[in-house]
Amino acid sequence: MPHSWSLDHAGPLTRSTRDAALMLQVLAGHDKLDPATAAVPVADYRAGLDAGIAGMRIGVCRNHFFGRNEVEVERLVDAAIADLQALGARTVHFEIPNLQYGLGAIFAIELASSAAWHDKGLQSGATADMADDVRTLVEIGRLVTAADYLKAEQLRVQLIRDFAKVLEQVDVIVTPSSAVTAWKRGQPSVITGGVEESPLAASWRLTYPYNLTGMPAVSVPCGFDSRGLPAGLQIAGKMFDEATILRVAHAYEGVHRWHEGVPGVAA
């Protein structure tokens, strides 16, 4: 069931980057029955995995992605960036203009898309069986106007251009995957950068820019916080260049082999 056909990213959840490459090799490609897929040749994702990253340009976007994360998450990601430098990569720092408006854009698109998909259920009253938070998100999508939706799409295009311009100067962009590590079930809020916010907002704030732009991204473990909970390093790249982000992820994965660790969560 699609949540938002123009935002959803389909991808495998695996134990290693190599396994992700194997899975994506099967999943990727054009499907004539799916109008959302692109008729673009699929690369051999395994071919360059072991090529290393010496000489590659690693982009670090300091606005939006840094500064409002848990302290330990930021520390672990900064250490991961240092590890990439030690492997021979060069870091390039930059900022993306207009990114602060991305949340409003993705909400307008997501809510309208979700309401459109569930329109029949909305009319029949089937939403009564949904959880309160899910039902609210589905129903308020009907309040998004055509003008709201078009403005959101215009901003989406601008952000795609902004990221494309940066990716002329760097090979990949690295950021934290999530501003926080796992929170307790039912926990009402978390503190990020001294600001209280909902766990949902904190957990997807750093990933939605790539849902909005359609850029490929991968998340790999980059260490554990003091509670034994894993933090993630997110690596994004050019459109249809999954091979490069998997290459960078695989190179980093071999440094500490965090993906073989076990979170310190009580049974």
Side-chain angles (χ1 to χ4, degrees):
M1 177 186 293
H3 176 62
S4 176
W5 73 268
S6 67
L7 297 172
D8 291 345
H9 273 47
L13 180 64
T14 63
R15 289 186 179 275
S16 70
T17 303
R18 191 176 298 278
D19 284 353
L22 289 167
M23 289 291 293
L24 192 61
Q25 200 70 54
V26 178
L27 291 170
H30 180 56
D31 182 348
K32 64 182 181 181
L33 299 179
D34 185 351
T37 62
V40 175
V42 177
D44 184 347
Y45 300 128
R46 297 167 294 173
L49 278 183
D50 298 310
I53 61 171
M56 290 186 70
R57 301 161 301 172
I58 306 294
V60 181
C61 182
R62 284 293 173 183
N63 69 311
H64 183 82
F65 293 99
F66 290 87
R68 272 195 62 197
N69 305 316
E70 286 182 341
V71 173
E72 290 187 274
V73 168
E74 196 125 331
R75 175 181 59 79
L76 290 168
V77 171
D78 282 341
I81 293 171
D83 287 331
L84 294 174
Q85 291 175 312
L87 292 172
R90 176 170 61 91
T91 54
V92 178
H93 294 261
F94 66 92
E95 292 190 0
I96 292 286
N98 305 308
L99 199 50
Q100 68 268 32
Y101 306 116
L103 181 60
I106 199 168
F107 259 132
I109 296 169
E110 177 185 11
L111 294 175
S113 298
S114 183
W117 173 257
H118 291 285
D119 186 61
K120 187 175 181 180
L122 284 167
Q123 294 185 44
S124 68
T127 53
D129 296 325
M130 296 181 178
D132 290 343
D133 55 347
V134 175
R135 181 171 62 253
T136 298
L137 289 172
V138 170
E139 291 178 346
I140 64 175
R142 296 178 121 180
L143 303 178
V144 177
T145 68
D148 294 333
Y149 187 86
L150 288 172
K151 288 177 182 177
E153 289 290 358
Q154 288 169 343
L155 179 62
R156 188 212 292 255
V157 171
Q158 184 59 55
L159 286 175
I160 290 172
R161 290 173 178 166
D162 291 341
F163 273 105
K165 186 175 181 179
V166 167
L167 285 164
E168 292 175 359
Q169 310 299 321
V170 303
D171 297 298
V172 296
I173 298 170
V174 298
T175 73
S177 301
S178 172
V180 295
T181 56
W183 57 93
K184 291 184 180 296
R185 185 176 63 182
Q187 183 175 329
S189 64
V190 294
I191 303 296
T192 56
V195 177
E196 185 176 8
E197 62 180 327
S198 75
L200 177 61
S203 66
W204 77 308
R205 174 160 30 88
L206 307 183
T207 55
Y208 80 68
Y210 301 128
N211 295 100
L212 190 58
T213 60
M215 295 162 56
V218 62
S219 176
V220 291
C222 65
F224 297 85
D225 68 10
S226 57
R227 296 181 295 160
L229 299 173
L233 177 71
Q234 180 174 222
I235 306 166
K238 300 179 180 72
M239 300 290 190
F240 304 108
D241 193 17
E242 289 88 350
T244 298
I245 64 175
L246 287 168
R247 174 181 163 189
V248 175
H250 182 67
Y252 173 73
E253 197 173 65
V255 176
H256 300 288
R257 307 199 67 80
W258 294 119
H259 63 293
E260 296 177 355
V262 179
V265 181

